Amino acid sequence: MIIELGHYALILALVFALAQTVIPFMGARTGDARSIAMAPNLAFAVFASIALSFTVLTWGYVVSDFSILNVFENSHSQKPLLFKITGVWGNHEGSMLLWILILSLFGALVGAFGGNLPPSLRATVISVQGTISVAFIGFILLTSNPFERLSPAPFEGQDLNPILQDVGLAIHPPLLYLGYVGFSVCFSFAIAALIEGRIDAAWARWVRPWTLAAWVFLTAGIAMGSYWAYYELGWGGWWFWDPVENASFMPWLAGTALLHSALVMEKREALKIWTILLAILTFSLSLLGTFLVRSGVLTSVHAFASDPTRGVVILGILVFFIGGALFLFALRSSTLSNGGMFHPISREGALVLNNLLLTTATATVFVGTLYPLAVEAVTGEKISVGAPYFNATFVPLMIPLILAIPFGPVLAWKRGDLAAAGQRLFVFAGAGLLAGLAVLYFASGAPVFAAIGIMIGFWLVFGAFADVWQKSGLPKAGVKTASARLRGLPRSVWGTAFAHAGVGVMTLGVVSVTAFEQEQVLRMSPGDVTDLSGYSVRFDGLTGQRGPNYVDDVATFSVTRDGAPVATIEPAKRIYTARQQPTTEAGIHTRLFSQIYIALGDRTEGTDEIVVRLWWKPMVTLIWFGAVIMILAGAFSLSDRRLRVGAPVPSRKRPKRAAAPVPAE
């Protein structure tokens, strides 16, 4: 009976979502205050219903109720509790339920924290969110019911895909969906603005916190997914240009452009058309990612579904929302103005350059991801587009972007002085140059391009704080005065500086591991020793171990340097008994920002000889450390009171009196 309650709650959510779509929208069009006031409550009702449905499905996993087809196909009674819970979203049906749960959460958050919005705009935004909910709840009920029953109920389940039984998968999908789906609010704001005809600086100020929140979560989700693939799959790489990876990367690139474009619109009321279009395209790319993962057109370790019927339905949803939004944009575009004018050499101009490079980079990833699918659909021929294409198209776009980033914050609004900005950045450029020369000096045989990459990375790390340094008044201002000025800076200024520095740190990690990584592939027997970048790695032997639902062959490697012990690394080959599916558990030892990485290959039958892959990965953790800096910087910016409060509204309680000057914030 509990399981049926979850199904009924999902149906009830569809009813509430239909009401959320229709009632607030009609109220906003007719000026009916009661219908407008119902919008938040309807959003809360949708969220509560889906939350109840999700809780019931989770309960089915926890108690191993194998009368539910979804639980039978993706769980096992011997599986650890954590992986029973994460198994809820380790499959198509459950992950879609998580998708709409997060979608309804954002609708409820707009209802809860949108009190500073004009009532009709908030009602329209919630109505658009309801329309998206109707489409995806209907999709789940019609094609992907997670509560489908089995009779008679099996005694045991088939277990979850072994590579998904990892702590990283407990974190990665929820974070990714909070980013993916979070951009739905930006989309809803854009559609509401087009419907209401209100597109101004206040609109940009309202939409920017939602964009930043979604960007922070998507950054965290991509970074977590990258690190999971790095240590779990045993390939030794941190990014593979897998089509499903690209599906999350494209909305991140577009969302980054949207974040900067909304800033220009808020400060200067410029780029209005561009900002609205980016809000539509960013969520459209999120929908495209949903289609790629669940349509069966891709074969990937990340893909969930292979049912073409579901793919057709999602394609229909995608066409409806993307096509409808772009059609509405085309109808309204003639009534929109670009807003304030500015000189090409200005902070606005720098942000426009940033947007052009980011959107062009998005287009290159889009083409590289979808072109093979288009060729296969037309000709039936399978082709692959891999790292060579992306390295030749994406990387050249990133180099000028990174070089230009420090200039933006130090340029003035409306009209700037490039020569003066260059003088302010001269010291930071010199520091980056010295760092690159140091690489050439200390790293014997370092490629010239690696040194240039190191220079660019340090240029961004140092240059990111040029604006902060300038605002402090140093070196002319005294330490006490400078300290007071730094403490008084808005949190968004610090967040911007650290986010840009995080990109620089990530660049240093990417360049270092790409240029200086060392790899060995060899067969080793117990007692064999090999050298790896100054370390001695000895294979001590294999031991069998048993886990709750798997068996392991664990290899022990002793790592020494100049005879002194450094670490013991224990990679493993694991077989999950229910599915008889092997996985590779990499052994990793971290030394400061670098890592020794060992993965096992095939074992020679009847012996302890085994194929071993060893890597020395210098500065590789800077890739994820840079991402963490970006995430924390975004969260710190989001805590800025100016973003949390949004556009001010007049107080109704304030008595009428003569106007008096009000000091600026």
Side-chain angles (χ1 to χ4, degrees):
M1 182 61 188
I2 294 179
I3 303 306
E4 279 63 38
L5 177 63
H7 193 190
Y8 296 151
L10 197 55
I11 296 172
L12 184 62
L14 178 61
V15 175
F16 282 135
L18 285 167
Q20 178 185 340
T21 300
V22 176
I23 296 175
F25 182 81
M26 297 304 298
R29 305 285 72 75
T30 60
D32 185 353
R34 290 182 300 177
S35 297
I36 291 174
M38 288 180 65
N41 292 331
L42 288 170
F44 299 152
V46 173
F47 172 66
S49 300
I50 297 176
L52 175 59
S53 181
F54 188 83
T55 302
V56 169
L57 182 61
T58 303
W59 173 253
Y61 271 85
V62 169
V63 300
S64 297
D65 186 350
F66 297 124
S67 68
I68 309 171
L69 176 62
N70 185 261
V71 178
F72 165 71
E73 291 178 339
N74 299 284
S75 192
H76 192 276
S77 61
Q78 300 301 313
K79 192 166 63 172
L81 177 61
L82 174 63
F83 300 143
K84 287 182 179 180
I85 295 173
T86 59
V88 176
W89 54 79
N91 59 89
H92 168 72
E93 293 83 2
S95 66
M96 283 306 303
L97 193 57
L98 176 64
W99 204 97
I100 63 169
L101 174 66
I102 294 174
L103 177 68
S104 65
L105 170 62
F106 276 101
L109 290 175
V110 173
F113 299 105
N116 61 327
L117 299 173
S120 63
L121 178 63
R122 179 170 69 164
T124 306
V125 170
I126 292 175
S127 174
V128 177
Q129 286 287 115
T131 307
I132 303 171
S133 296
V134 168
F136 281 96
I137 295 172
F139 167 74
I140 291 176
L141 288 172
L142 293 176
T143 70
S144 309
N145 181 10
F147 299 102
E148 186 176 344
R149 289 282 201 172
L150 284 174
S151 183
F155 289 105
E156 191 53 87
Q158 295 180 341
D159 206 359
L160 181 66
N161 186 340
I163 66 171
L164 303 181
Q165 296 188 40
D166 184 82
V167 175
L169 265 293
I171 305 170
H172 166 55
L175 288 175
L176 199 65
Y177 289 179
L178 284 165
Y180 254 166
V181 184
F183 284 121
S184 67
V185 178
C186 309
F187 175 85
S188 297
F189 265 99
I191 299 302
L194 290 172
I195 292 173
E196 301 229 335
R198 175 168 182 167
I199 305 173
D200 52 19
W203 179 90
R205 191 171 185 180
W206 289 322
V207 81
R208 201 153 67 92
W210 299 100
T211 306
L212 181 57
W215 181 88
V216 167
F217 283 120
L218 187 56
T219 303
I222 292 174
M224 184 68 250
S226 169
Y227 192 66
W228 167 79
Y230 171 74
Y231 73 78
E232 176 64 21
L233 300 181
W235 297 345
W238 54 274
W239 190 260
F240 305 99
W241 293 110
D242 180 279
V244 181
E245 289 178 329
N246 296 346
S248 62
F249 191 43
M250 287 187 288
W252 185 88
L253 292 168
T256 305
L258 171 61
L259 192 59
H260 291 84
S261 184
L263 177 63
V264 176
M265 186 174 170
E266 178 188 342
K267 299 294 184 183
R268 299 285 304 144
E269 289 208 42
L271 304 183
K272 292 181 180 179
I273 297 175
W274 182 238
T275 305
I276 292 290
L277 183 60
L278 276 175
I280 293 172
L281 292 180
T282 301
F283 184 60
S284 297
L285 290 170
S286 296
L287 292 178
L288 176 65
T290 302
F291 168 73
L292 291 175
V293 174
R294 301 169 193 286
S295 62
V297 300
L298 294 177
T299 301
S300 167
V301 297
H302 303 81
F304 277 120
S306 57
D307 185 350
T309 303
R310 293 170 177 170
V312 170
V313 176
I314 295 180
L315 182 61
I317 294 173
L318 186 147
V319 169
F320 173 77
F321 283 105
I322 298 178
L326 293 177
F327 179 71
L328 178 61
F329 176 80
L331 289 178
R332 291 287 196 177
S333 60
S334 60
T335 65
L336 302 178
S337 63
N338 278 318
M341 303 297 291
F342 54 87
H343 194 269
I345 305 300
S346 63
R347 190 173 300 190
E348 296 97 323
L351 291 171
V352 168
L353 176 63
N354 164 85
N355 279 5
L356 290 174
L357 292 171
L358 283 173
T359 50
T360 304
T362 306
T364 64
V365 178
F366 181 88
V367 171
T369 302
L370 294 188
Y371 178 72
L373 303 179
V375 169
E376 183 179 355
V378 174
T379 67
E381 180 184 358
K382 287 184 177 290
I383 65 171
S384 62
V385 173
Y389 163 81
F390 293 104
N391 292 340
T393 57
F394 180 83
V395 174
L397 291 169
M398 290 298 100
I399 293 174
L401 176 63
I402 293 174
L403 290 173
I405 285 175
F407 282 91
V410 299
L411 287 171
W413 291 103
K414 196 173 183 179
R415 188 182 188 93
D417 187 336
L418 188 61
Q423 289 177 355
R424 298 188 192 104
L425 292 167
F426 182 78
V427 174
F428 304 100
L433 178 62
L434 289 176
L437 293 176
V439 170
L440 283 175
Y441 180 78
F442 290 106
S444 58
V448 174
F449 285 113
I452 295 174
I454 296 293
M455 291 179 192
I456 292 174
F458 275 112
W459 151 255
L460 184 50
V461 171
F462 299 143
F465 296 97
D467 183 44
V468 173
W469 181 269
Q470 178 181 330
K471 286 180 167 61
S472 73
L474 291 171
K476 293 182 179 180
V479 174
K480 185 176 180 180
T481 301
S483 299
R485 290 177 178 176
L486 291 175
R487 287 194 300 270
L489 288 179
R491 294 181 182 181
S492 59
V493 172
W494 286 106
T496 298
F498 276 100
H500 290 167
V503 177
V505 171
M506 183 182 294
T507 302
L508 291 173
V510 171
V511 173
S512 297
V513 75
T514 302
F516 304 115
E517 177 183 83
Q518 295 184 23
E519 178 184 1
Q520 294 184 31
V521 182
L522 65 163
R523 289 185 175 273
M524 298 185 73
S525 298
D528 288 349
V529 179
T530 186
D531 290 327
L532 180 68
S533 188
Y535 294 92
S536 294
V537 181
R538 188 184 70 227
F539 177 34
D540 295 328
L542 286 167
T543 57
Q545 297 181 7
R546 178 173 293 274
N549 60 335
Y550 60 82
V551 292
D552 266 344
D553 274 337
V554 180
T556 302
F557 292 85
S558 297
V559 181
T560 60
R561 186 169 190 142
D562 298 328
V566 172
T568 298
I569 303 178
E570 295 185 332
K573 292 289 286 186
R574 179 174 295 176
I575 296 180
Y576 285 78
T577 52
R579 294 199 177 200
Q580 288 298 303
Q581 182 174 335
T583 64
T584 299
E585 304 296 318
I588 301 174
H589 174 69
T590 302
R591 294 185 63 80
L592 195 56
F593 298 117
S594 303
Q595 291 183 333
I596 299 172
Y597 185 110
I598 304 177
L600 302 182
D602 295 331
R603 180 178 178 180
T604 303
E605 189 174 352
T607 71
D608 284 340
E609 185 183 61
I610 194 167
V611 174
V612 180
R613 300 187 70 180
L614 306 99
W615 286 271
W616 168 246
K617 295 182 172 290
M619 302 299 172
V620 67
T621 60
L622 289 181
I623 296 172
W624 301 288
F625 184 57
V628 170
I629 294 173
M630 294 162 63
I631 294 162
L632 295 177
F636 191 69
S637 292
L638 198 58
S639 70
D640 193 320
R641 182 179 179 274
R642 296 177 303 168
L643 287 179
R644 290 186 285 109
V645 172
V649 294
S651 172
R652 296 180 179 179
K653 298 181 180 179
R654 183 178 301 165
K656 294 182 180 180
R657 58 183 179 180
V662 179
E665 290 186 4

